[in-house]
Amino acid sequence: MRSYSLIAPAKINLYLEIIGDRPDGYHELAMVLQSISLADKVDIRPIEIDTIFVQCNHAAVPNDQTNLAYRAAALMAQQFPEAMAQYGGVEITIDKQIPVAAGLAGGSTDAAAVLVGLDLLWKLGLTQGELEDLAAQIGSDIPFCIKGGTALATGRGEVLSPLVNLDNLSVVLAKYRSLAISTPWAYKTYRTQFGDTYVRKAEDLQSRRQRVHSGGIVSAIMQRDRAKIGQLLHNDLEKVALPEYPEVLQLREAFASQNVLGTMMSGSGPTVFALTESERQALEVAETVRNQLANPDLDFWTAQLSSTGITLA
Ligand code: ATP
């Protein structure tokens, strides 16, 4: 039986707005999610015994049942026990290129790759919708990671409306290697500080969602207006992360001082990205900011915005 190698891209948030509390305990969000060409490679190999093995070349990524890739495989085994009985277990090998705990959905995209890979390996023929429903059971960002591209994500992030492709833009990303921001901390702090602005009634949530749909950045994306997209980047979580982590603010200011289209923290951070007109400009900005901040703890990446989610390598 054959093995599959999958490319699992990272995502950035072009927009992240926290709208309110949901009865299920999650936050109600409006986000614009964007795949980028920075990606992990996930290999899925059938093995004879009925077990799931995960291995990863990055020390901070667990090889046990807490790995999101493992959880994706366990969910598939639970949903399709006949397939596992017929085809055996699976060995998942993650070549980690996406920085870990960085706000770039690295774990989520690996899990998405496992869902897509096992669908192929076990010849299940699942539809996009079926894969997204399975993905939503493991994590809010995972449905987006399957199809990728550019999408408006509402609900807790799992209700997706595709937007047009922006794949001719580039991005430069930077992260302090030793800095991690806990996603639960960021949302909890936001709730403590800004919870009085939350929409809580179901009918109010509905009308608020409509307003987000017609929001400025979505129109700018539909018109592929690069300058406007750059100006309208937004992330509510910056309101809690930047005061707490001045080095992230300093990095953001360093990017903003360059001639970039726009700059923003991604997700709950601490990665900061800047949109640029070309890959060459992204490389130049990385070089300039690296020299300007001269901090050996700071890592840089450049990438293209991408129109694809999980693909075969
Ligand atoms: P998000 O943007 O979805 O909040 P993130 O990019 O901030 O995610 P991840 O890279 O997914 O964060 O990692 C968060 C934590 O999840 C890590 O500290 C790690 O212990 C754990 N983890 C579990 N599975 C994986 C995986 N496959 N890749 C990376 N981290 C994983």
Side-chain angles (χ1 to χ4, degrees):
M1 206 176 18
R2 64 169 291 190
S3 301
Y4 287 91
S5 275
L6 300 124
I7 301 296
K11 65 89 187 139
I12 53 174
N13 296 78
L14 300 180
Y15 189 87
L16 191 161
E17 181 180 354
I18 300 175
I19 291 177
D21 280 324
R22 295 159 53 97
D24 59 11
Y26 287 92
H27 276 94
E28 178 76 18
L29 302 171
M31 300 188 285
V32 176
L33 301 174
Q34 173 65 58
S35 304
I36 60 173
S37 58
L38 176 65
D40 291 345
K41 186 160 81 69
V42 179
D43 291 331
I44 296 184
R45 191 174 73 84
I47 51 175
E48 306 243 312
I49 43 171
D50 267 10
T51 312
I52 300 161
F53 284 119
V54 177
Q55 51 195 2
C56 180
N57 58 349
H58 193 298
V61 176
N63 284 343
D64 62 11
Q65 302 176 359
T66 61
N67 194 303
L68 280 173
Y70 183 101
R71 292 183 51 205
L75 177 68
M76 291 294 272
Q78 182 216 324
Q79 296 283 317
F80 305 102
E82 327 75 47
M84 184 127 174
Q86 184 180 349
Y87 293 106
V90 64
E91 182 185 74
I92 299 162
T93 307
I94 301 167
D95 176 7
K96 183 57 71 182
Q97 300 297 323
I98 303 171
V100 176
L104 299 175
S108 297
T109 195
D110 295 343
V114 169
L115 297 177
V116 172
L118 284 180
D119 176 47
L120 292 169
L121 193 68
W122 292 350
K123 300 183 177 35
L124 297 169
L126 297 175
T127 62
Q128 181 84 26
E130 287 167 336
L131 284 169
E132 287 177 3
D133 287 347
L134 287 166
Q137 294 180 40
I138 328 169
S140 305
D141 280 347
I142 305 178
F144 167 76
C145 292
I146 291 175
K147 184 153 175 262
T150 311
L152 178 69
T154 53
R156 56 189 173 91
E158 86 292 12
V159 182
L160 300 169
S161 311
L163 302 173
V164 295
N165 292 333
L166 298 174
D167 45 11
N168 52 359
L169 282 175
S170 294
V171 65
V172 48
L173 306 111
K175 175 185 177 290
Y176 291 96
R177 208 171 307 125
S178 60
L179 180 63
I181 299 180
S182 144
T183 303
W185 171 84
Y187 279 99
K188 217 172 92 203
T189 309
Y190 193 91
R191 181 184 270 122
T192 309
Q193 291 183 12
F194 302 102
D196 55 341
T197 65
Y198 282 14
V199 175
R200 292 201 160 88
K201 285 201 297 228
E203 58 275 24
D204 295 344
L205 276 180
Q206 192 55 36
S207 70
R208 180 74 193 278
R209 271 190 212 125
Q210 299 307 321
R211 271 187 286 145
V212 170
H213 246 281
S214 57
I217 194 161
V218 173
S219 323
I221 290 169
M222 297 315 274
Q223 291 158 19
R224 295 199 171 88
D225 184 336
R226 298 157 160 242
K228 222 175 194 164
I229 294 167
Q231 286 159 17
L232 293 173
L233 297 174
H234 175 82
N235 183 350
D236 271 341
L237 292 174
E238 284 198 337
K239 291 184 213 160
V240 294
L242 298 186
E244 186 74 19
Y245 298 98
E247 61 274 51
V248 179
L249 175 62
Q250 185 195 32
L251 176 57
R252 193 187 185 295
E253 284 172 348
F255 276 147
S257 73
Q258 302 303 303
N259 191 21
V260 296
L261 293 167
T263 181
M264 189 61 44
M265 186 180 82
S266 185
S268 56
T271 303
V272 177
F273 69 87
L275 288 183
T276 61
E277 295 276 3
S278 65
E279 185 146 29
R280 188 167 152 210
Q281 192 196 1
L283 288 164
E284 284 167 6
V285 171
E287 197 51 30
T288 308
V289 172
R290 188 196 301 278
N291 291 334
Q292 195 180 321
L293 297 180
N295 187 329
D297 193 37
L298 200 49
D299 287 327
F300 288 83
W301 299 263
T302 59
Q304 302 284 115
L305 302 198
S306 160
S307 58
T308 55
I310 306 301
T311 51
L312 286 171

